[in-house]
Amino acid sequence: MLRYVLTRFAIWIPSVLLVMLAVYALAFYGAGDPIKLIFLRAPGDVAYNPAKIEAIRESAGLNRPFLEQFASYVLNLLQGKFGNSLTSGRSVWAMVSAAAPVSLKLALCSIALTAIVAIPLGMIAALKQNSRLDYIILGTALFLWAIPAYVAGPLLMVGLILLFPGADVPYGWGGIFDVRILLPLLVLSFQPIALIVRQTRAAVIEVLSEDFVRTARAKGVPEVIVAIRHILRPVLTPVVTQLGLIMITIVNGAIFVELVFGLPGLGRLTVQALINSDYPVILAITLIGSFLVMISNLLVDVLYPMLDPRAHDTTRSR
């Protein structure tokens, strides 16, 4: 297993380089010039001084050829240097390390809420297939999947204020045990819950036709025991494989959720960096997002043989 994990990390290196190269190319050839934006925010005629603009661009190393800039950036990364923000001058690593814990806690809570809510609902829908309860669960899942985070967030916030006029607006961050996290957590979990409900339902329906399930029922084993002992484990195998897709959904949704609810996480930092054309911050966040998705995919590959022993030999042979 250790050899397999190390091999996957070795394969990821060119993938990460390609992602960084693509993002760096977009930043290099993009329309936004961060140096000009800095001067445009300054008062007076200093905004129209080409000599000062070129001097700052030269001091930041932005006047060099594309490949030379990219190679320098990669070498700095290997030394643990993410550079400084072009707009604030702060260390990019300090900015990211301050925002990352908020997004990480929110993502982990969202995954936990998704598992606690979606898996039981998916199993109930499958066990009550084609019943009214099944249709209600499936319809709700489709409804949640169709609502993007940037629509659900403001709507729920307005609905909360209308239903409870005296309630405080859930804006800001006070930790995972703060009541203000409930609304953004729900919004961030809508689409993952819808995805896992449908995946679990399909997996349970497939498992119900297996011989071991029919045998357990023929022996008079209670339905709850059949569901937990005989159905749950094989169902978790295809559900866990969706972890990578869930992580992508959470990373994308966090950008809008954190902006709407005022959470000081990576999503909000990403929006600010895009507005300011702060390329070092954008590159660092892109690298972290790619790493999170790759780690989640690796976690799926490691957990899959544990849940399905038949996949163990396949994993060993890679």
Side-chain angles (χ1 to χ4, degrees):
M1 181 61 71
L2 178 60
R3 180 181 179 183
Y4 170 71
V5 172
L6 294 177
T7 303
R8 288 297 299 269
F9 271 109
I11 296 174
W12 286 349
I13 294 176
S15 301
V16 172
L17 286 176
L18 287 175
V19 171
M20 291 171 52
L21 180 63
V23 176
Y24 206 94
L26 291 174
F28 185 85
Y29 295 106
D33 188 340
I35 307 302
K36 286 185 178 180
L37 289 176
I38 294 173
F39 276 84
L40 288 174
R41 296 187 184 94
D45 296 333
V46 69
Y48 303 97
N49 192 328
K52 288 187 177 181
I53 292 176
E54 190 60 32
I56 294 180
R57 182 180 288 109
E58 183 176 357
S59 64
L62 299 178
N63 60 339
R64 295 178 295 169
F66 169 72
L67 291 179
E68 185 178 343
Q69 289 189 40
F70 181 70
S72 177
Y73 180 76
V74 173
L75 289 176
N76 288 332
L77 280 182
L78 294 177
Q79 299 174 19
K81 300 177 182 178
F82 285 81
N84 296 324
S85 169
L86 295 177
T87 56
S88 66
R90 294 177 57 195
S91 168
V92 173
W93 176 250
M95 297 171 66
V96 170
S97 59
V102 176
S103 298
L104 182 60
K105 292 176 183 177
L106 192 63
L108 292 177
C109 290
S110 178
I111 292 175
L113 179 63
T114 299
I116 293 172
V117 173
I119 294 177
L121 286 179
M123 294 185 67
I124 293 172
L127 295 174
K128 302 293 184 180
Q129 186 180 6
N130 297 328
S131 66
R132 180 176 298 179
L133 183 58
D134 180 25
Y135 295 146
I136 291 174
I137 294 175
L138 269 184
T140 304
L142 291 174
F143 177 74
L144 294 179
W145 180 259
I147 302 180
Y150 58 84
V151 174
L155 285 180
L156 285 180
M157 187 179 292
V158 172
L160 178 66
I161 300 303
L162 292 177
L163 291 175
F164 306 99
D168 295 331
V169 177
Y171 192 86
W173 173 258
I176 59 175
F177 299 107
D178 189 356
V179 69
R180 290 177 294 178
I181 198 179
L182 294 178
L183 213 57
L185 183 60
L186 284 175
V187 174
L188 194 60
S189 303
F190 277 169
Q191 290 191 341
I193 287 175
L195 176 67
I196 295 303
V197 163
R198 297 172 61 188
Q199 182 68 39
T200 303
R201 180 183 180 274
V204 170
I205 291 175
E206 183 179 354
V207 172
L208 286 175
S209 61
E210 297 290 341
D211 293 336
F212 63 88
V213 176
R214 290 199 295 265
T215 302
R217 284 177 168 175
K219 290 181 178 179
V221 178
E223 195 68 22
V224 176
I225 303 299
V226 173
I228 295 176
R229 182 175 298 178
H230 300 281
I231 297 178
L232 184 58
R233 181 170 179 176
V235 164
L236 287 178
T237 304
V239 170
V240 167
T241 59
Q242 299 294 325
L243 182 61
L245 186 57
I246 291 175
M247 183 58 68
I248 295 174
T249 303
I250 290 175
V251 169
N252 292 336
I255 295 177
F256 304 104
V257 170
E258 292 178 6
L259 188 64
V260 170
F261 294 98
L263 303 178
L266 290 176
R268 189 177 182 183
L269 184 62
T270 301
V271 175
Q272 294 173 348
L274 290 172
I275 293 174
N276 298 328
S277 296
D278 201 344
Y279 298 141
V281 179
I282 296 173
L283 287 167
I285 295 175
T286 303
L287 184 64
I288 292 173
S290 303
F291 184 74
L292 286 176
V293 173
M294 290 178 178
I295 287 295
S296 63
N297 289 330
L298 176 62
L299 185 61
V300 169
D301 292 337
V302 172
L303 291 177
Y304 197 93
M306 298 180 183
L307 296 173
D308 188 359
R310 295 173 299 179
H312 182 68
D313 294 335
T314 304
T315 304
R316 291 181 60 186
S317 62
R318 292 182 183 180

